[in-house]
Amino acid sequence: MKFLKNLRNIFFYILRKFFSIEYRIINIKILKKKINLNNSLKYILKKYKISSDWSEEILNSVKLVKSKKYFRSQKNRKDLRNFPFITIDEKDSYDFDDAIYCYKIKKNLKWKLFVAVSDVSFYVKENSLLDKEALNRGTSIYFPCNVIPMLPEELSEDICSLLPNQDRLCIVCEMTLSKNGKLLHYVHYKSIIKSHARLTYSNVIKIWNGDKFLCNKFKKIKKNIIDLFYLNKILVQNKDLKKIILFNSDEPDFIFDSSFKIKCISLKKKNLVHNFIEYCMILANKSSALFIKENNVISLFRNHAYPVNSKIKNFRRILKKFNLKLEGGNFPTFKNYLTLSDKIFNKPYKEIIELALLRSTKKAFYSEKNSGHFGLAEKFYTHFTSPIRRYSDLIVHRTIKFILFKKYHIGNYQKKFLYKRKFLYNFKNMQKIAKQCSISEKRADKAYKFFIDTLKFDFIKNKIGHNFYGYISHITEFGFFVKINNIFLDGLVHVSRLTDDYYFYDKKKIFLKGKRFKKIFSIGDLVHVKIISIKNKNKMIHLSLI
């Protein structure tokens, strides 16, 4: 009897264990089905040590800011609420920190361009809890369908955001442009504005093209929107501004299904309005940098170093494959790069050349010293137009306000200790801030890229065994990478999969060459490939040639 009883106990023990394991397996399957954007995002935020939650102290600080009656400061601000400012952003934008307005001066055919930027520095005071948290985050990160803001949402998406038909505190950069679009004069001042409409890039281009429905919907400000069109025609002809198109890299656009899985990937198409707004922001940033430099105040600059000579040589080797040249000898100017840009416009290998160009240049960075911006061919440049999402811009705003107070002694502010200081920030503090802003930007870029790759890899899992065409984008001694068409991902064809010959890597000529049959694989070659496998750990797609 004891034996049977023990046997029965063993049987039920095994049964319980089996169902327990079965239950866990089912649970894991359910969990796997539930893994979506939010789970991936949590993992990435943890990986890159990015804060996403707000402490109680921070939220209490926001409550204090909300209760603050900012209309007290209207006395010292230009009232521009009757000026028909408008915001122009993407359809899915979270915050609106800049608005524009322009008109033509009939007497001399010059133009007035106003760029109004949210006065975030009024709410986020130096060394406050909000300020320290903003410095720690450094920048907002805009993931698809989600954002990790630099400032709490009540500030970034409400109080500081230039929402339509709401009075908002701003710093305005008012610029006078010649009939050829050249910057002649600029002035900064504090103001209060009211955005007359929230428009998207596609809305504006449709109004420019005479869309009847939208023209009727925005009939009160239609003339002002058309004024932007005429100003754009002038700015497009300005050779100094045309240069920015060269560094406009394409971004993927994800379309999700109802279960939050990627349905398809396409490229975000930029229209004339995207470039126009970028022109306006560059002019405002340039004016702000010049204003700071003129007044000899310590602040942040946005620098971009000249390419290293060895990298220029490598870039020229790649250009040879496409029968292209970069003129200018050892020190090519931006005009030389522009000439090259015109030649590759609308070519199928354009993306490969632009990628090689970006690899040949260094990344832009923040510094307390000005050393110029090669990428925009500017001697002085800073970031002024996005204080809601970039800490660097918040510092620039404080600097500009400091100069204005010292210069004009407005109201009773001159009596305050803050404005008796010779400099708002000392050199060492600005050095630390510049370093932190650059680190935060790199961290945000890495997190964004990792997240985008995660989405793409999730999408491509079902494409194993499928064939694609693509261009060779990069070559190394262990194989070559192929930019897969319509997916915008790079996959590796390892040399071990090139079984028809023994291939060696020529570092000078940047190609793989077969020893027996002399076959060559070069950057820009169109190849037909098959997806063999995907490794999630290192985010690597393995391909084989067809």
Side-chain angles (χ1 to χ4, degrees), residues 246-411:
L246 185 65
F247 286 90
N248 272 357
S249 55
D250 295 319
E251 290 181 25
D253 191 18
F254 300 97
I255 297 162
F256 299 97
D257 60 19
S258 55
S259 60
F260 224 62
K261 293 284 182 182
I262 300 171
K263 197 176 180 181
C264 63
I265 306 171
S266 61
L267 278 182
K268 281 184 180 177
K269 291 180 180 178
K270 291 188 176 181
N271 57 39
L272 289 172
V273 187
H274 285 86
N275 285 334
F276 169 67
I277 293 299
E278 199 161 356
Y279 293 154
C280 295
M281 298 306 126
I282 282 176
L283 285 168
N285 287 335
K286 178 183 175 178
S287 300
S288 302
L290 289 169
F291 183 63
I292 289 164
K293 194 67 183 174
E294 278 171 16
N295 288 278
N296 198 28
V297 174
I298 296 166
S299 187
L300 280 183
F301 290 95
R302 182 69 169 174
N303 297 331
H304 187 218
Y306 193 89
V308 179
N309 196 32
S310 59
K311 289 195 173 184
I312 293 172
K313 284 180 181 178
N314 283 337
F315 181 53
R316 282 191 167 124
R317 289 189 192 113
I318 292 165
L319 291 176
K320 272 187 181 179
K321 312 292 178 187
F322 302 92
N323 295 318
L324 293 167
K325 281 184 179 181
L326 175 65
E327 304 292 344
N330 291 330
F331 300 98
T333 64
F334 210 95
K335 286 181 181 178
N336 300 131
Y337 281 96
L338 272 180
T339 305
L340 174 66
S341 179
D342 291 337
K343 286 179 182 176
I344 66 170
F345 186 70
N346 279 338
K347 297 289 183 183
Y349 50 76
K350 178 177 177 281
E351 194 180 347
I352 303 298
I353 299 293
E354 285 181 345
L355 190 66
L357 169 61
L358 287 171
R359 281 184 181 142
S360 73
T361 60
K362 291 183 176 180
K363 190 170 171 59
F365 61 98
Y366 294 104
S367 177
E368 69 289 351
K369 294 179 183 177
N370 177 68
S371 59
H373 198 295
F374 169 76
L376 295 172
E378 296 292 355
K379 287 183 181 178
F380 303 100
Y381 197 71
T382 192
H383 277 164
F384 161 77
T385 56
S386 301
I388 291 176
R389 65 183 180 90
R390 285 192 304 234
Y391 191 79
S392 57
D393 302 49
L394 180 57
I395 293 293
V396 170
H397 274 229
R398 284 178 184 157
T399 308
I400 288 169
K401 284 170 77 173
F402 177 77
I403 295 166
L404 293 174
F405 282 125
K406 294 291 281 186
K407 209 169 186 178
Y408 301 111
H409 302 289
I410 299 168

Side-chain angles (χ1 to χ4, degrees), residues 57 185 198 259 349 357 392 445 481 546:
E57 290 83 2
H185 181 68
R198 179 268 197 269
S259 60
Y349 50 76
L357 169 61
S392 57
D445 287 345
F481 289 88
I546 295 174

Side-chain angles (χ1 to χ4, degrees), residues 494-503 516-517 545:
H494 198 272
V495 283
S496 61
R497 295 193 182 276
L498 303 173
T499 53
D500 61 327
D501 203 344
Y502 175 79
Y503 287 85
R516 288 173 61 207
F517 303 113
L545 283 177

Side-chain angles (χ1 to χ4, degrees), residues 11 22 45 61 75 131 137 144 184 221 252 300 307 330 353 369 409-410 414 454 484 495-496 502 539:
F11 172 75
E22 186 69 30
L45 296 179
S61 297
K75 294 175 186 177
D131 184 46
R137 296 189 178 210
L184 300 174
I221 54 167
L300 280 183
N330 291 330
I353 299 293
K369 294 179 183 177
H409 302 289
I410 299 168
Q414 60 184 333
T454 302
I484 304 167
V495 283
S496 61
Y502 175 79
K539 293 281 182 287

